[in-house]
Amino acid sequence: MDEQQVTARTVGSVRVVGAGLLGASVALGLMAKGVDVIVHDASPSNLRLAIDYGAGRAAHATDSPALIVVAVPPDLTAEVVAQELKAYPDALVTDVASVKVAPLAELRVVGADVSRYIGSHPLAGRERGGAISARADLFIGRPWVITAHAGIPAAQIAVIEHLVLDLGAVPVAMSAEDHDRAVALVSHAPQAISTLLARRLVDANPGSLELAGQGLRDTTRIAASAPELWVQIMGANSQYIIEVLRDFRTDLDVMIHALSDQEARGARKSLAQILAGGNNGVSRLPGKHGQDRRFAQIVVKIDDRPGELARLLTEIGELGVNMEDLRLEHSPGAQIGLAEIAVLPEAEERLVSELEERGWKIAGAYQ
C-alpha cells in the first residue's frame, strides 16, 4: 500500500462540490494524501480545469462518497448542501462557507436531513480565486472551525476533524453563532474597513501614491478581494458586521472630534486613549505558534538583485537564530529592498553584530 494512503485519516471517497480556490485546494490536499477525490462543478470548464490541475476525478454514476465537501458561493451553500444530502443518503456533508448560521437555518426550513450535516469554515484564502490559484498547502497551520449543532454524534464530528487534520489545519470547535460573531470581528469588518481605506486612493494625486509604503499596502491588501463574493458574505453576516462597524464609527467620531478642536479639554487624552487602545489590541493577537508576545525587529538593507534575500536567510540560519517573521519592502526610487526580520529579543544584539560583521547594512533595530 502507498505510504501516502497509510497516513490519511480520511476514510473512503470524498466528493468536493465547487472547483474554486477552496474546493480545489481541499481536493489537491486530499489527493496528496492518496484519498480518492471526486470533484464536481456546475461549470464544465471549471471542472475540467480543476481536473487538469490534479484536483481529482470526474463523478461516476456508481460513486458512493463517505464525505462531501460543499465549496460554493455563500448564497448557494444551503441549496447545494440540501441537494447533496438527498443525492447521497449515506454521506456526511460539510461546507466551507464563511457564514454558518444562515445555511443551517435554511436547511432546517426546507426540511433537509441536518443529522448528516456539519458546517465548517477554514480561515484561509487568497485574494485570487479559481482552481488556477489553488494550493494543496493552503490550509497548513490555519484554524478550521467546526460548528457541530445539537444532536450530532461524536463519530461524525471526528470525520470532519480527520479531514481538517489531513489538510494540515487546526480544528476549532465553535457554535455557529459564536463563529459568525468572531469572523465579523476578525475577517468581515476588516474587509469592509480595508475597502473603505482603499477607496480613498481612487481619486488620489499620483504624486501622493508614489509616497506609499508598506503600511498602506498592508492595510489595503485585502481590498483587492472579489466584490461579488463579499457582497454575499457581508449580506449573510450583516447582523454581526454592523455591530463591529458601529463601534468603529463611534471611535472614528471621537477621533474626528478630537482632531477638529485639539485645544478642547480632553481632546488629546481622547486621541491618546484611542491610539493606546490600538496598541493593546495588536498586543492581543497571537504570534508564531499562538504565542502572545512581542519580538525584536531588525531591518536589513538588501541590494535588489537575484539571490540576495536567499543569502541573508541562509546566513541567519547559519548563525543559529530562529526567524519568527519576515516582511519585505522595496525602497521607492532606489535599487534596494528592506527585509524586516522578527527575532526573539534576546537574539537581537548578537544577530545585528554578526550580520554587520558579514557586511550587511542594518537600517534599524528596535523592539
Side-chain angles (χ1 to χ4, degrees), residues 85-155:
L85 286 168
K86 183 176 181 180
Y88 298 95
D90 296 324
L92 180 66
V93 181
T94 188
D95 72 282
V96 296
S98 59
V99 289
K100 304 277 51 117
V101 172
L104 179 58
E106 291 177 40
L107 288 168
R108 283 173 168 157
V109 166
V110 299
D113 181 9
V114 294
S115 69
R116 292 187 291 111
Y117 165 72
I118 301 176
S120 71
H121 176 214
L123 276 296
R126 306 178 71 185
E127 288 74 48
R128 296 171 294 172
I132 193 171
S133 300
R135 299 197 326 245
D137 63 353
L138 183 67
F139 309 105
I140 291 178
R142 301 300 303 160
W144 188 312
V145 180
I146 301 172
T147 58
H149 50 279
I152 293 294

Side-chain angles (χ1 to χ4, degrees), residues 177-304:
E177 292 79 7
D178 287 346
H179 166 274
D180 285 6
R181 182 177 285 107
V183 294
L185 176 64
V186 303
S187 176
H188 301 169
Q191 175 69 44
I193 293 166
S194 177
T195 297
L196 293 174
L197 177 58
R199 274 177 57 84
R200 307 280 66 78
L201 307 178
V202 173
D203 299 319
N205 185 298
S208 299
L209 298 181
E210 290 293 328
L211 304 179
Q214 195 61 38
L216 183 62
R217 290 183 173 86
D218 286 345
T219 51
T220 59
R221 178 182 61 82
I222 58 175
S225 301
E228 58 273 16
L229 173 63
W230 278 98
V231 165
Q232 295 183 32
I233 294 173
M234 290 184 178
N237 203 27
S238 59
Q239 173 187 350
Y240 297 125
I241 297 173
I242 287 171
E243 290 179 5
V244 180
L245 292 181
R246 280 178 174 156
D247 289 340
F248 181 80
R249 182 175 62 185
T250 298
D251 282 347
L252 188 60
D253 286 341
V254 171
M255 181 175 283
I256 291 172
H257 180 73
L259 292 173
S260 298
D261 187 1
Q262 298 179 47
E263 300 307 316
R265 184 174 182 179
R268 286 182 172 81
K269 179 180 178 181
S270 296
L271 183 59
Q273 286 177 334
I274 288 180
L275 294 171
N279 293 160
N280 294 335
V282 168
S283 71
R284 294 198 63 201
L285 291 174
K288 186 177 179 182
H289 307 312
Q291 297 174 11
D292 185 3
R293 65 177 300 176
R294 296 295 187 93
F295 298 110
Q297 310 294 329
I298 301 171
V299 181
V300 185
K301 294 180 181 179
I302 305 175
D303 290 335
D304 191 9

Side-chain angles (χ1 to χ4, degrees), residues 24-39:
S25 294
V26 167
L28 287 169
L30 291 176
M31 287 287 289
K33 288 285 187 178
V35 175
D36 176 35
V37 179
I38 307 152
V39 62

